[in-house]
Amino acid sequence: MSNNYPQPLSGMVVPRFGEVATFMRLPIERDPARLDIALVGVPWDGGTTFRPGARHGPREMRNMSTLMRRVHHASLVSPYELCRVGDHGDTPVNPIDLHDSLKRIEGFFARLHQAGAAPLSAGGDHLVTLPILRAIARERPVGVIHFDAHSDTSDAYFDGQKYTHGTPFRRAIEEGLIEPRRMIQIGVRGSIYERGEKDWANSVGIRIVHIEEYFRRGAEAVIAEAREIVGGGPTYVSFDVDGLDPVYAPGTGTPEIGGFSTAEAQRMIRLLDGLDLVGGDVVEVAPPFDPSGNTALVGATLMFEILCVLAPAVARRKNLS
Ligand code: MN
Ligand code: MN
């Protein structure tokens, strides 16, 4: 190794079923100043409206991430050669207080952001993306590439509740954290409460690619458009695992049939290489609904895929070599 960046524990030295499970078998590093990319768990699902369980996502994704090896087999990128990546632990949460949780989560990511580390997080339900963006996008709004079966731009749920995993992107846009004209949602589908449900999203300029359009045009064309939409500006990647067909990811709170496959998700993420990515998350992995562990494996693998396009972006921005 030409640098002394943190490296994953090798399965050639300690078998991959051994030792304490951390994200990608990286060392735990609690000091954000020592990281360029922080892998973070957000064990919280207090914004869930249907079946909870995503609070258990980070631990199971850590476990399954021990299957990730150092080098991406297609791009041959090893993120750990490009920058300092470590397991930064879990954010504090309050399992019985939504607003206190949002504050705690934001504080954790704000500390990271001030230290200059980019976050790649494991949820948690999708509301966790809001405090992450509050921490990293206050001074400069981001573009967003959002994979999901749902638009998550509802105004309120159940008697006027403004903060649920169905509302994070509406709140983030209202708070000026996202440039809506630099946002694209891919994979949206499923029955809706009313015909005009996407009117607000459309009116602020979010590009919604419903799953029917995705299958008609294919990954290459859709991601080519996504790249045009986000352009050269800072861009965040948010991957709700329910964007996948539940055949591939049954362990999630709000499954919708008819989604894209894991192979298609991998192809789309790889095509994000070269964008100015500033962070990402994989959310809504709810292990209790998938005792096989496959959804956690899917989540961990998607984190690795995102890491392999995020690390080159971080290295470019920081002029690391
Ligand atoms: Mn979502
Ligand atoms: Mn969803």
Side-chain angles (χ1 to χ4, degrees), residues 126 146-152 165-166 189 239-243 252-256 283-284:
H126 219 153
H146 172 201
F147 301 94
D148 204 322
H150 312 99
S151 173
D152 295 350
H165 68 163
R189 62 187 184 278
F239 199 111
D240 182 330
V241 83
D242 72 27
T252 194
T254 319
E256 308 282 357
V283 298
E284 300 285 355

Side-chain angles (χ1 to χ4, degrees), residues 34-217:
R34 298 167 68 98
L35 293 174
D36 302 305
I37 297 177
L39 306 182
V40 175
V42 190
W44 186 76
D45 57 17
T48 304
T49 55
F50 188 44
R51 46 183 203 185
R55 67 179 64 180
H56 303 292
R59 182 166 291 182
E60 300 309 317
M61 286 161 80
R62 275 195 179 85
N63 189 22
M64 285 304 182
S65 77
T66 62
L67 275 92
M68 302 303 115
R69 304 176 190 85
R70 298 182 51 250
V71 181
H72 192 284
H73 78 276
S75 66
L76 301 183
V77 165
S78 177
Y80 321 109
E81 291 168 4
L82 298 175
C83 53
R84 301 169 299 170
V85 190
D87 186 329
H88 192 49
D90 281 357
T91 69
V93 297
N94 179 342
I96 55 168
D97 188 324
L98 186 153
H99 288 283
D100 186 39
S101 291
L102 294 182
K103 253 185 259 158
R104 289 167 187 245
I105 296 166
E106 180 185 344
F108 187 92
F109 283 98
R111 188 169 154 265
L112 251 183
H113 183 64
Q114 279 153 20
L120 176 55
S121 312
D125 72 44
H126 219 153
L127 185 53
V128 307
T129 304
L130 178 63
I132 295 172
L133 292 178
R134 282 174 173 168
I136 73 170
R138 270 239 160 87
E139 70 271 24
R140 188 164 71 148
V142 294
V144 178
I145 298 177
H146 172 201
F147 301 94
D148 204 322
H150 312 99
S151 173
D152 295 350
T153 50
S154 294
D155 182 36
Y157 173 79
F158 209 82
D159 204 19
Q161 297 305 313
K162 294 272 198 179
Y163 296 91
T164 81
H165 68 163
T167 66
F169 295 104
R170 183 130 166 189
R171 296 290 94 80
I173 288 166
E174 289 169 349
E175 293 178 23
L177 308 173
I178 294 173
E179 292 181 77
R181 292 185 183 283
R182 292 185 55 237
M183 175 162 187
I184 183 168
Q185 307 184 312
I186 302 168
V188 176
R189 62 187 184 278
S191 52
I192 48 184
Y193 285 101
E194 54 197 331
R195 289 194 182 81
E197 197 168 293
K198 314 274 167 41
D199 287 355
W200 184 86
N202 288 323
S203 74
V204 296
I206 298 174
R207 171 74 167 102
I208 301 177
V209 179
H210 284 91
I211 198 69
E212 292 76 13
E213 181 184 352
Y214 168 81
F215 281 125
R216 199 164 61 240
R217 294 174 61 205

